[in-house]
Amino acid sequence: MVLNKFSLEGKTALVTGCKRGIGKAIAEGLAEAGADVVGVSASLELEGSAVGQSVTALGKSFSAYQCDFSKRDLLHDFIKQLNADHPVIDILVNNAGTILRSPAAEHSDAYWDEVIEVNLNSQFVLSREMGKSMLKRKSGKVIFIASLLTFQGGITVPGYAASKGGVGQLTMALSNEWASQGINVNAIAPGYIATDNTKALREDPNRNPAILSRIPQGRWGDPEDFKGPAVFLASDAAAYMNGTIITVDGGWMGR
């Protein structure tokens, strides 16, 4: 039965940046499909988090960790602890990210370095380290969260655009090496979604209507819109999907 291919029973998923927004919705969606969840964010509550409560209410386990992905030494510490606590991660969702807005001529080294470290460098390091055990098992799913700015340049976010362009290339690069080893590496590119990262745009009296006028579906996306695509890419239903970037954008890229 085809619906059985979407089941994640018996799987463990690591979701970064899961405290709120898209990451939280994805963690909940994976749990709804049967996966146990390991969650990590810079400020995730170690007990009693909203995402943890949602996951455990579904009868699945939730393990919470904190990690500042802008600090490479803290990332390595987290990976060491993770490997000790959860030696088998079947699904990795690289969702943690940040955005810092400033015109290119005023975009400081500090802005650039922080965004590239969180959005690209840390995702490579985490994927590399989780990938090692996936390669040994010849099984695993890696899902990156890309962006419309994987394809477009954006305005006043040069570091973010560069990082998300890199995420798209990294998705394909890892897929080229790992697809033959039983590991599916793909990405989801969100359009304009109502999250903390887009608060400034949604409150801008000029940008908000301009953005909405270009979205064929006529609305900002919701984090809930990512449950289905994430479950699909994490499941056996996507067994022949490799190096693909799925846009979830209300039709923006087709305009």
Side-chain angles (χ1 to χ4, degrees):
M1 297 294 289
V2 69
L3 290 181
N4 293 337
K5 291 182 176 292
F6 290 86
S7 174
L8 301 179
E9 287 291 340
K11 304 295 186 181
T12 299
L14 170 61
V15 183
T16 72
C18 69
K19 182 176 180 177
R20 60 177 68 89
I22 292 173
K24 179 175 180 287
I26 287 176
E28 292 168 349
L30 297 178
E32 289 170 15
D36 293 314
V37 177
V38 178
V40 57
S41 293
S43 59
L44 180 65
E45 300 90 344
L46 296 181
E47 293 186 11
S49 67
V51 62
Q53 291 176 3
S54 295
V55 169
T56 55
L58 294 164
K60 311 310 296 185
S61 70
F62 182 82
S63 300
Y65 295 85
Q66 291 181 348
C67 181
D68 181 348
F69 287 91
S70 70
K71 306 291 192 299
R72 189 76 60 88
D73 56 337
L74 297 181
L75 175 59
H76 281 289
D77 289 344
F78 163 67
I79 292 170
K80 183 178 180 180
Q81 188 62 55
L82 178 69
N83 284 332
D85 296 343
H86 301 277
V88 176
I89 295 294
D90 302 290
I91 303 157
L92 168 62
V93 181
N94 283 304
N95 172 72
T98 191
I99 188 167
L100 295 172
R101 300 178 185 277
S102 176
E106 302 165 14
H107 206 75
S108 67
D109 288 359
Y111 269 28
W112 178 273
D113 289 346
E114 181 176 346
V115 172
I116 295 295
E117 187 65 32
V118 173
N119 293 5
L120 184 59
N121 293 347
S122 71
Q123 298 201 16
F124 169 69
V125 171
L126 188 55
S127 299
R128 180 190 66 201
E129 297 306 306
M130 296 298 99
K132 290 176 180 178
S133 60
M134 290 180 179
L135 287 167
K136 290 178 182 178
R137 301 192 309 273
K138 293 190 178 299
S139 175
K141 307 281 187 175
V142 179
I143 303 169
F144 289 95
I145 302 302
S147 170
L148 293 184
L149 299 196
T150 299
F151 313 102
Q152 302 174 324
I155 300 171
T156 70
V157 286
Y160 184 84
S163 71
K164 292 301 185 176
V167 164
Q169 293 300 114
L170 183 57
T171 298
M172 293 183 282
L174 295 184
S175 174
N176 289 343
E177 292 192 36
W178 294 353
S180 64
Q181 303 302 308
I183 302 169
N184 301 90
V185 184
N186 294 287
I188 299 170
Y192 286 91
I193 313 302
T195 65
D196 290 350
N197 277 357
T198 60
K199 185 174 184 290
L201 290 177
R202 286 181 285 118
E203 294 178 349
D204 188 310
N206 297 314
R207 293 294 307 282
N208 184 39
I211 288 167
L212 284 173
S213 69
R214 181 176 161 164
I215 300 173
Q217 199 165 343
R219 68 169 176 88
W220 286 77
D222 187 273
E224 292 282 314
D225 294 321
F226 293 86
K227 287 184 175 182
V231 169
F232 170 58
L233 291 179
S235 73
D236 288 342
Y240 201 55
M241 297 279 290
N242 299 279
T244 295
I245 304 173
I246 297 176
T247 55
V248 181
D249 63 356
W252 176 281
M253 288 301 295
R255 189 67 178 256

